[in-house]
Amino acid sequence: MRFLLGFLLSSLPTLSWLDAPEAWQIGFQDPATPVMQGIIDLHHDIFFFLVVVVVFVFWMLTRTLYHFHAKRNPVPEKIIHGTVIEIVWTILPSLILVCIAIPSFALLYSMDEIVDPAVTVKAIGHQWYWSYEYSDYNQTDQPAVAFDSYMVPEDDLSPGQLRLLEVDNRVVVPVNTHLRFIITAADVLHSWAIPSLGIKCDAVPGRLNQVPAFIKREGVFYGQCSELCGTNHAFMPIVVEAVPLSDYIAWVANKIEEA
Ligand code: CUA
């Protein structure tokens, strides 16, 4: 009952973007990057083939069980071979796979494309928090913009803040700008993941992984560590705040001043 109610409520049109998980959510969060839009479109594409295959297989199975039941068909046929049908049931599924593979590869390679990034953000996973560096603004060996980002504990939450998702220091980035996130870890495996941005990237000690992002709208995007990394794995969320370029410049200037 509760599930049904939640499902019905969640299927109502919403008045704002869904950039954080929601109770009883079963679908995707709203996309904020072309990559996430592509992922959702590919999911729907593949779902079409899935529905066709499921309907066809169940129709075949039901008909077979009905027509070839021992009572209805006491003397079985002795056919053991059929060249035409064997060609059909080999070629047809492989054509379906090709139809899935082509858009899938197009998306996969476009997700990997780093388009001359204007801003690079380095995210470092720790047990159990994230730290960030904006190395573009370094003047000396000391990082000019670097900070830790811890989850806000439940007791410290302000009204309206999201439990287990809010952090003390958000990652601020400009909208409509080619971004690059460089991801690594200081201790064990973590994973830097934000559903609305279509990013899920392993944070591996001793290795730099990179993902591009182009955020199309302003907003606050919530994500979580997505690789089991110890007892507080659930308590190292990620918050990315996408702001207009002028606000971003002001934010960076402020951070450099602090340092
Ligand atoms: Cu860090 Cu899970």
Side-chain angles (χ1 to χ4, degrees):
M1 187 60 215
R2 216 177 140 199
F3 177 81
L4 194 69
L5 195 69
F7 176 72
L8 289 173
L9 284 175
S10 68
S11 57
L12 289 173
T14 43
L15 297 172
S16 62
W17 297 106
L18 182 60
D19 294 330
E22 191 186 40
W24 304 105
Q25 180 187 336
I26 56 165
F28 290 107
Q29 287 170 40
D30 289 323
T33 59
V35 161
M36 190 57 207
Q37 186 63 61
I39 291 171
I40 292 174
D41 290 346
L42 181 72
H43 169 268
H44 294 351
D45 274 4
I46 294 176
F47 224 89
F48 168 77
F49 293 103
L50 185 150
V51 168
V52 171
V53 169
V54 162
V55 167
F56 175 71
V57 168
F58 270 84
W59 173 75
M60 283 269 286
L61 242 155
T62 318
R63 269 183 71 90
T64 311
L65 287 172
Y66 179 82
H67 287 292
F68 297 95
H69 187 271
K71 277 188 195 144
R72 206 167 283 105
N73 187 46
V75 189
E77 293 277 353
K78 293 236 171 76
I79 299 171
I80 52 158
H81 190 80
T83 312
V84 174
I85 194 147
E86 282 173 22
I87 288 171
V88 168
W89 76 38
T90 308
I91 301 291
L92 208 67
S94 61
L95 286 179
I96 295 174
L97 287 181
V98 169
C99 291
I100 291 172
I102 289 170
S104 169
F105 278 115
L107 179 66
L108 189 69
Y109 290 121
S110 68
M111 286 170 75
D112 206 35
E113 195 71 33
I114 305 271
V115 187
D116 191 24
V119 176
T120 299
V121 181
K122 186 175 178 186
I124 305 152
H126 303 261
Q127 283 174 313
W128 287 275
Y129 63 97
W130 292 94
S131 67
Y132 298 97
E133 287 175 17
Y134 290 60
S135 319
D136 294 338
Y137 313 109
N138 286 2
Q139 303 277 331
T140 61
D141 285 351
Q142 290 301 309
V145 181
F147 53 89
D148 296 339
S149 181
Y150 283 87
M151 185 190 77
V152 176
E154 204 168 337
D155 296 337
D156 299 346
L157 286 175
S158 312
Q161 286 194 315
L162 301 172
R163 184 178 154 270
L164 301 180
L165 286 174
E166 218 72 50
V167 297
D168 55 357
N169 288 307
R170 291 170 170 178
V171 179
V172 177
V173 288
V175 288
N176 295 321
T177 307
H178 286 287
L179 310 172
R180 167 171 56 184
F181 291 100
I182 286 181
I183 294 147
T184 187
D187 35 49
V188 299
L189 291 172
H190 301 269
S191 176
W192 202 77
I194 302 161
S196 283
L197 305 187
I199 294 177
K200 178 171 281 174
C201 184
D202 280 353
V204 184
R207 184 192 158 116
L208 281 176
N209 284 332
Q210 64 172 0
V211 275
F214 187 89
I215 304 177
K216 301 266 285 176
R217 57 181 167 85
E218 291 164 37
V220 180
F221 307 102
Y222 291 86
Q224 289 174 295
C225 178
S226 298
E227 176 66 62
L228 276 176
C229 55
T231 32
N232 287 342
H233 163 63
F235 311 115
M236 48 180 300
I238 299 151
V239 184
V240 170
E241 189 175 341
V243 299
L245 188 61
S246 54
D247 292 16
Y248 172 75
I249 292 167
W251 179 83
V252 168
N254 195 35
K255 280 280 178 193
I256 292 173
E257 203 136 305
E258 275 177 29

